[in-house]
Amino acid sequence: MKKQKPTYRLSTWLLGLVALVLTFSACKEDPPLEPEDFVYENGALIVNEGNFQSGNASLSFLGLANDSMQSDVFKGINERPLGDVGQSVTIHGNRAWVVVNNSGKIEGLGLPSLKTECQITGLTSPRYLLPLANGQALVSDLYANAIQIVDLNNCTTLGQIQTGGWTEEMIQIGNRIFVAQMGTDKVLVIDETTLTLTDSIQVGREPNSLEVDQNGKLWVLCSGGLSEALPTLHRIDAQALLVEHSDTIGVLADSPTKLGINAAGDRLYWLNGDVYTGNVAGALMASITFAKGSRNFYGLALHPNSDDIYVTDAKDFQRKGQLYRIRTIGVDSFEVGINAGGVYFLP
Amino acid sequence: MKRAAQIILLCCLIAFPSLVSAQVDTVSTSPSEVESSELKVSKLDVIMILAPSTTHSIGGKTHRLDSLGLEKTKLGTLTDALKAMPSISMKEYTAGGLSTPSFRGTGAAHTQLYWEEIPLNSPMLGQQDLNLGAGGLFNRVEAIYGGAGLRLGTGSLGGAVNLASVPEFRREKEAFRFDQSLQYGSFQSFSGNWGLKLKLKNGLRSQTKVYLKSAENDFPFVNTALLGNPIQRMENAKTKTMGVFEELGFRYKDHGFRGMLWAFKGDRQLSPTMLEAFSDERQDDQSIRSMLEWTFDESRAFRAQFKTQIAFLDETTRYQKPVASIDAPSRFRRFVLQTGFVKSIRMQQGRFDLSSGGLRIMRDQAESNGYLEAVSQWRGTAHLGGILQMRKDARAEILVREAFFGNQFSLPLGYLGVSNRLFGNNSWQLKSNLSHNARFPTLNDRYWNPGGNPDLRPERSLAAETGMWRFRYVNNRSLQYGVNGFVNHVNDWILWLPGQGNIWSPSNVRTVWVKGIEAELKWRRQRGEFFTDLALNYNFSDSRDQDGFLLIYTPRHNAFASLNLGWKDFSFSYYQDWNSRRYTSADNSEYISGFSTGDASLGWGKQFSNFGMNLKAGMRNIANAQFQTVAWRPMPGRSVFLRLDMSFWKERE
């Protein structure tokens, strides 16, 4: 007997279609919160450098209330990539100023939305931004041989202070601004009132990061360059502009970076492969507080209130990294973007 | 038959005058030559048109750019030439910028480039910039896939490309010939080739070629990195390349002598990415390549051609970035002495014959401000090959190669290929091979300061491939199709990673598995005054590291189709390619989208007694696709060109 081919009426097809639509309708979830609706506060903003000329810099956000990590938040909110080499973030007033090094720009992001409110463009190779009291800011630069003076209200450049060479981190103590000058063994001193270069202090080779301790002393971390000198840490009297104390903190092949300080201002932290710590008073007594193991620590920050330590692992610089949070109760970790180099805390 | 062949020849010469400068494929028993025993056609010119473009030495795959391909890329670069070949994906920083190939899913340094079998890859970077090489200098451009590249040397873990000028037999009567090709196009691009060939008494012949290419490359592109995706114009992308090529040769009885010189200069601005504010980078390259060659055809006792070559290369690159006060010149000089033989084989069942052998000694010397001092190295390799006629329809080739590098010797490298006719039919072939190859670390890998690692081991590859191919030629129609599968396991892959003090240093850390399939079909037909050529290619390669991630910039899928039509004095050509996404981060979290582009051209040509000309107009990227082959570096959208070829010649009295 010949097998009869099954036939289906139109109504059967329609019924099936309706059932299918209903099935998917039933599964439909509430629409996810759009990025622009989200409030970015009480969290850590992680700047992922990305790779040079690869245009893959990004921002990640870790909400500290619920430990939820969001990746690439800038692109989600502003519908474009952040740029090429995300360098640093400065939280000032109601904006987060994101310095994008190889895009030659600074994004002024409104808080807590992280929407771009303005851009400062036309910069050569900006590194760090230091706000001043008068609504202006200084921007250090890798190639410009000068520090740029910018207006944070109008997002314009106003002028520059000739420095010669690569300028890196800056810090203000009183009316003096101290600038780490890479490629040299100097910390430059700028007068805030006149915005002129007034002095320089001899330190170790390649000063890269600066902190102020509880006593108002300036601490300068020098990497030693590419095996050019031993890495050193210096304590400077910011009034007398004199180096009070120096410590060698590694061997010739080491290259320590990312000096940080705790909320009380009595304990320093830095990266030298592992996470190191030392006292600001008396002998430094440097010791490892978090060993790297097989990790490649690249960024370091301390929470301004809790003293929790945040360390980033850039792995091989070619893939997404990891953020480690070291607390008294233990260590946890979160995935971040490529080459996470800085962690900044939003109130 | 004779009449038909004459018509075919005439049509081809009219439609594609530059065929006149192409060479004749010689039929040889050498394993590196084409197995064209299927072609029993008496007219050599017809063979040129209808011969298979993908050819097979014993067990391996070789793709030779055919006359149509040579004609199309005459005014282009080596990038254009290799784009027309299967299983090769290009990574171009922008039009005219740095360009490197990836064969069968491997890295740029795993493609070895040869000029007349002289290694050209830089000993510093281990690769060659294909946009510096002119496409019109050579009449034989040949890609050898996988382990079969061991015939030319070591390091071809993906494949090898050989560029050659093969003496032309076709116009023995020509005493003088002048060719000129000029092309103007969008973005103020100009390309010119001038060639002068002289055939003097006593067998002395000379070939001189001069070329000039320049472009503003100020093409518009959609900047997807900016809000609103505005249209911008490319900046700082000007390129200018000029070169000269001279070949002088003569024959005396069984001896052949050639002297060759290839010199060029390239000045290129390096454009910014979509996310950079500006770029003032530039790179200037200069190269002088020279070679002397002596061949001896011994036809009585050993029945082989012996060849000895001496070559000297002197190449300078200067990278500048004024804003960062960077001025980084580098230079390498290479001296090569190589000698070898290729033997004619008498095929006899069960008989094993020595088929080839050779020795190459190379001395590289390099200077760079990345080195503490000038560095140098000796390298060398020796090989012996043999062919076994296993059965009437099956042959095997065995090649053993040993290489030294400074005071290190490689493990024995080798190639075993088997070709087997199938179904009792001459047109079907089963090809399989196994190979063991190695690539030695570059001078930068070993001596860069800081980070260089002098203790690196060579990268080692163990590869296998097999495929079925068919080539048929019937009544002025040829059909070639086949499918090939390959696997390649690379150990000790060298990778630069951050080390102590965040100083990058290379080490042998990666293991890579590459698997792939290649399929192609080529159909050609000559019917009266119509000529049709259709080619379809599909390639799949899956290259994964030990963590299971796909290697960056190695698309898994790519395909292309081309159609060439000729009718009387007119020709039409269309080319379309498809490329899948390529990952740009090691964990495959970022990628560039796939893209497809199409090119078309229309030509008209006329040939007179001692003068020929061809006029062609074309459009590239017809659909104005916005695409990138390197992240955030846009490639040109739609563009047009107009080309004029003219040839004058005089025959000997």
Side-chain angles (χ1 to χ4, degrees):
Chain A
M1 183 181 154
K2 190 177 176 183
K3 191 175 177 181
Q4 194 173 1
K5 193 176 174 183
T7 57
Y8 300 96
R9 290 165 185 252
L10 180 63
S11 56
T12 312
W13 283 106
L14 284 173
L15 199 62
L17 189 64
V18 169
L20 196 69
V21 169
L22 286 175
T23 304
F24 280 94
S25 304
C27 293
K28 193 174 175 185
E29 294 175 354
D30 291 336
L33 204 59
E34 292 296 320
E36 55 263 34
D37 301 331
F38 195 85
V39 174
Y40 294 92
E41 59 187 13
N42 186 24
L45 195 61
I46 298 101
V47 61
N48 306 297
E49 285 182 14
N51 301 110
F52 179 67
Q53 291 194 322
S54 294
N56 54 354
S58 65
L59 295 178
S60 304
F61 177 78
L62 174 65
L64 297 181
N66 54 5
D67 289 347
S68 66
M69 178 64 82
Q70 295 179 44
S71 59
D72 219 353
V73 294
F74 179 90
K75 190 175 182 182
I77 296 163
N78 295 289
E79 298 175 348
R80 60 191 166 89
L82 176 60
D84 198 42
V85 185
Q87 180 60 42
S88 62
V89 176
T90 301
I91 311 295
H92 178 66
N94 55 356
R95 281 180 183 160
W97 298 91
V98 184
V99 180
V100 191
N101 169 254
N102 202 40
S103 293
K105 68 173 183 180
I106 299 170
E107 296 271 355
L109 309 183
L111 291 176
S113 69
L114 294 186
K115 282 181 190 163
T116 294
E117 293 182 347
C118 76
Q119 285 182 329
I120 303 171
T121 57
L123 304 169
T124 306
S125 188
R127 302 287 290 178
Y128 293 89
L129 181 144
L130 177 73
L132 304 176
N134 59 358
Q136 296 178 1
L138 300 183
V139 180
S140 60
D141 200 287
L142 176 58
Y143 295 134
N145 291 318
I147 288 176
Q148 302 294 321
I149 306 166
V150 298
D151 184 328
L152 296 182
N153 297 318
N154 302 319
C155 290
T156 53
T157 52
L158 299 172
Q160 54 183 219
I161 305 166
Q162 293 297 323
T163 54
W166 172 0
T167 48
E168 193 74 350
E169 279 194 11
M170 299 172 288
I171 202 163
Q172 184 167 6
I173 303 175
N175 64 347
R176 282 180 173 144
I177 295 153
F178 296 88
V179 183
Q181 188 168 42
M182 293 281 282
T184 71
D185 49 6
K186 287 177 183 168
V187 170
L188 307 178
V189 184
I190 292 171
D191 181 87
E192 190 204 6
T193 315
T194 60
L195 290 182
T196 53
L197 195 62
T198 56
D199 214 332
S200 66
I201 307 164
Q202 186 91 13
V203 288
R205 184 71 187 157
E206 297 238 317
N208 59 38
S209 45
L210 312 170
E211 284 295 349
V212 184
D213 70 15
Q214 59 184 1
N215 304 313
K217 304 290 183 184
L218 172 66
W219 286 86
V220 182
L221 177 65
C222 302
S223 71
L226 291 172
S227 301
E228 297 164 72
L230 291 169
T232 48
L233 190 55
H234 307 269
R235 188 179 71 223
I236 293 171
D237 183 327
Q239 301 304 316
L241 303 184
L242 291 173
V243 177
E244 291 182 336
H245 182 78
S246 297
D247 280 289
T248 298
I249 54 169
V251 297
L252 201 61
D254 290 342
S255 187
T257 56
K258 306 282 181 184
L259 184 65
I261 197 161
N262 64 353
D266 61 358
R267 182 157 282 277
L268 295 164
Y269 294 83
W270 65 92
L271 292 180
N272 190 13
D274 306 301
V275 180
Y276 279 81
T277 185
N279 295 319
V280 299
L284 185 67
M285 301 288 285
S287 62
I288 294 173
T289 186
F290 189 52
K292 71 182 178 92
S294 60
R295 294 166 290 211
N296 177 26
F297 290 156
Y298 191 58
L300 170 73
L302 284 100
H303 192 278
N305 303 320
S306 66
D307 279 352
D308 293 343
I309 304 167
Y310 290 74
V311 192
T312 61
D313 172 14
K315 298 183 177 174
D316 61 358
F317 293 115
Q318 307 291 316
R319 63 191 75 223
K320 287 187 171 179
Q322 208 72 17
L323 171 71
Y324 291 91
R325 179 170 55 180
I326 305 152
R327 298 187 285 186
T328 50
I329 57 169
V331 179
D332 52 1
S333 70
F334 308 87
E335 187 181 75
V336 288
I338 293 176
N339 295 348
V343 182
Y344 305 88
F345 298 95
L346 299 179
Chain B
M1 182 63 193
K2 187 179 174 184
R3 173 72 179 156
Q6 282 173 341
I7 291 170
I8 294 165
L9 170 62
L10 186 63
C11 290
C12 295
L13 291 180
I14 289 170
F16 308 104
S18 59
L19 288 182
V20 173
S21 63
Q23 98 283 336
V24 172
D25 295 336
T26 54
V27 177
S28 165
T29 52
S30 157
S32 62
E33 295 293 336
V34 183
E35 285 185 0
S36 41
S37 56
E38 296 87 347
L39 294 171
K40 302 297 184 190
V41 186
S42 58
K43 295 295 177 186
L44 291 173
D45 295 299
V46 180
I47 289 177
M48 286 174 51
I49 296 300
L50 298 176
S53 51
T54 294
T55 59
H56 299 275
S57 45
I58 297 175
K61 176 180 169 183
T62 299
H63 190 95
R64 183 175 297 172
L65 207 59
D66 62 15
S67 303
L68 290 173
L70 288 169
E71 187 271 339
K72 276 186 189 173
T73 57
K74 186 178 179 184
L75 285 165
T77 62
L78 290 178
T79 302
D80 300 313
L82 293 197
K83 268 183 191 171
M85 294 187 172
S87 285
I88 304 175
S89 63
M90 306 303 301
K91 184 181 170 191
E92 275 186 280
Y93 279 69
T94 189
L98 177 70
S99 168
T100 54
S102 167
F103 259 64
R104 285 185 170 175
T106 55
H110 298 135
T111 299
Q112 299 298 312
L113 186 67
Y114 296 88
W115 169 49
E116 302 285 354
E117 301 183 5
I118 302 290
L120 287 185
N121 282 29
S122 159
M124 305 170 80
L125 283 170
Q127 53 190 341
Q128 264 287 323
D129 181 355
L130 296 176
N131 269 343
L132 287 174
L137 296 184
F138 312 100
N139 54 17
R140 179 171 291 183
V141 178
E142 199 169 59
I144 305 164
Y145 292 80
L150 263 177
R151 293 196 185 99
L152 294 175
T154 59
S156 50
L157 308 193
V161 176
N162 189 42
L163 313 169
S165 299
V166 180
E168 299 170 4
F169 301 121
R170 185 152 36 137
R171 288 183 303 283
E172 285 295 333
K173 288 182 181 174
E174 270 181 19
F176 159 88
R177 180 178 187 85
F178 175 73
D179 295 297
Q180 174 175 266
S181 299
L182 302 172
Q183 181 172 295
Y184 295 88
S186 305
F187 323 127
Q188 299 186 53
S189 65
F190 168 76
S191 187
N193 269 16
W194 297 268
L196 178 66
K197 292 174 191 170
L198 296 171
K199 195 170 288 177
L200 307 172
K201 289 179 181 175
N202 305 322
L204 186 67
R205 63 176 196 277
S206 162
Q207 182 179 193
T208 307
K209 290 181 180 177
V210 176
Y211 62 92
L212 171 66
K213 299 176 199 301
S214 64
E216 286 289 319
N217 284 327
D218 54 344
F219 57 86
F221 65 95
V222 177
N223 193 337
T224 51
L226 299 182
L227 190 61
N229 298 342
I231 294 174
Q232 295 184 327
R233 276 203 176 269
M234 181 55 76
E235 293 177 348
N236 201 57
K238 224 184 263 188
T239 62
K240 188 176 183 181
T241 312
M242 59 181 86
V244 61
F245 178 84
E246 171 64 36
E247 179 185 359
L248 199 63
F250 72 97
R251 281 198 73 81
Y252 176 72
K253 295 184 178 174
D254 294 330
H255 299 267
F257 301 91
R258 277 202 303 172
M260 301 174 91
L261 176 74
W262 176 15
F264 64 81
K265 185 175 186 303
D267 300 329
R268 291 179 293 179
Q269 294 179 330
L270 306 179
S271 58
T273 66
M274 289 182 180
L275 291 146
E276 285 180 288
F278 76 104
S279 168
D280 62 352
E281 294 171 275
R282 59 178 297 120
Q283 184 171 311
D284 301 331
D285 297 87
Q286 286 185 47
S287 172
I288 296 174
R289 298 165 178 173
S290 54
M291 195 260 289
L292 290 173
E293 178 184 283
W294 166 53
T295 55
F296 170 55
D297 295 313
E298 197 285 316
S299 54
R300 294 189 185 108
F302 195 56
R303 290 167 49 83
Q305 183 183 69
F306 293 87
K307 183 157 77 174
T308 300
Q309 294 166 295
I310 298 173
F312 178 70
L313 317 179
D314 186 346
E315 313 213 346
T316 305
T317 297
R318 185 178 181 188
Y319 167 79
Q320 291 171 286
K321 185 171 182 173
V323 71
S325 303
I326 294 174
D327 185 354
S330 61
R331 180 184 188 186
F332 81 83
R333 278 163 285 185
R334 169 174 289 168
F335 173 77
V336 185
L337 170 65
Q338 63 184 29
T339 186
F341 66 89
V342 177
K343 195 172 179 300
S344 296
I345 306 289
R346 281 195 190 126
M347 290 304 164
Q348 189 178 330
Q349 195 166 329
R351 176 172 166 151
F352 177 81
D353 276 290
L354 193 64
S355 62
S356 65
L359 174 70
R360 175 187 296 144
I361 308 282
M362 273 195 327
R363 167 83 172 169
D364 290 326
Q365 187 173 8
E367 298 157 29
S368 162
N369 51 13
Y371 303 150
L372 290 174
E373 56 186 355
V375 296
S376 59
Q377 66 182 9
W378 284 99
R379 289 178 62 183
T381 176
H383 77 278
L384 272 180
I387 292 178
L388 172 66
Q389 184 76 34
M390 296 185 294
R391 297 193 311 267
K392 185 183 172 187
D393 56 358
R395 276 187 284 170
E397 180 193 352
I398 300 162
L399 186 137
V400 179
R401 188 177 279 277
E402 180 64 47
F404 77 86
F405 173 70
N407 54 5
Q408 290 180 35
F409 279 81
S410 68
L411 290 169
L413 308 175
Y415 172 85
L416 171 64
V418 177
S419 290
N420 197 3
R421 291 205 167 94
L422 290 178
F423 314 128
N425 188 330
N426 277 351
S427 65
W428 278 102
Q429 293 268 340
L430 176 67
K431 304 274 187 176
S432 307
N433 73 66
L434 290 170
S435 64
H436 177 221
N437 204 339
R439 186 183 79 89
F440 291 98
T442 65
L443 291 176
N444 284 6
D445 289 334
R446 301 177 73 205
Y447 299 113
W448 192 261
N449 181 51
N453 179 0
D455 301 321
L456 286 170
R457 297 182 300 277
E459 297 175 339
R460 290 176 296 114
S461 145
L462 200 57
E465 75 180 83
T466 188
M468 283 175 68
W469 297 86
R470 190 180 196 201
F471 177 75
R472 290 196 72 200
Y473 171 76
V474 179
N475 296 333
N476 294 332
R477 281 181 304 183
S478 72
L479 178 66
Q480 178 186 11
Y481 54 92
V483 63
N484 208 39
F486 61 87
V487 291
N488 189 356
H489 184 240
V490 185
N491 257 324
D492 286 338
W493 186 299
I494 295 168
L495 202 62
W496 282 72
L497 294 169
Q500 190 176 13
N502 278 337
I503 292 172
W504 289 65
S505 185
S507 47
N508 297 96
V509 293
R510 196 184 241 178
T511 301
V512 172
W513 267 103
V514 188
K515 289 167 273 183
I517 294 171
E518 299 157 340
E520 67 179 79
L521 180 147
K522 194 164 182 70
W523 179 72
R524 286 170 166 177
R525 179 177 177 177
Q526 180 73 45
R527 191 176 198 184
E529 292 175 318
F530 288 96
F531 173 75
T532 310
D533 171 286
L534 174 71
L536 303 171
N537 274 273
Y538 168 73
N539 310 292
F540 167 79
S541 68
D542 186 277
S543 313
R544 292 182 188 271
D545 63 16
Q546 64 270 33
D547 300 321
F549 293 113
L550 287 163
L551 298 193
I552 61 170
Y553 290 106
T554 55
R556 294 179 83 203
H557 307 273
N558 93 342
F560 67 82
S562 71
L563 174 68
N564 296 288
L565 302 173
W567 178 67
K568 292 187 176 177
D569 298 340
F570 297 95
S571 63
F572 171 77
S573 162
Y574 187 80
Y575 173 89
Q576 183 82 37
D577 64 15
W578 297 268
N579 301 274
S580 67
R581 73 167 57 162
R582 49 189 81 192
Y583 289 100
T584 58
S585 64
D587 58 1
N588 296 173
S589 59
E590 295 172 1
Y591 63 88
I592 304 172
S593 299
F595 61 89
S596 174
T597 61
D599 305 339
S601 66
L602 195 62
W604 171 86
K606 201 79 179 169
Q607 178 112 348
F608 304 97
S609 60
N610 59 355
F611 169 68
M613 66 175 293
N614 189 30
L615 193 62
K616 183 189 268 188
M619 184 177 282
R620 297 196 182 99
N621 192 0
I622 297 167
N624 200 27
Q626 299 293 308
F627 70 101
Q628 302 156 21
T629 60
V630 178
W632 302 111
R633 294 189 178 275
M635 294 295 285
R638 185 184 300 119
S639 64
V640 294
F641 67 86
L642 187 65
R643 172 175 161 178
L644 174 68
D645 297 88
M646 288 189 293
S647 299
F648 306 88
W649 60 88
K650 185 182 175 186
E651 295 193 347
R652 204 186 296 274
E653 293 295 327

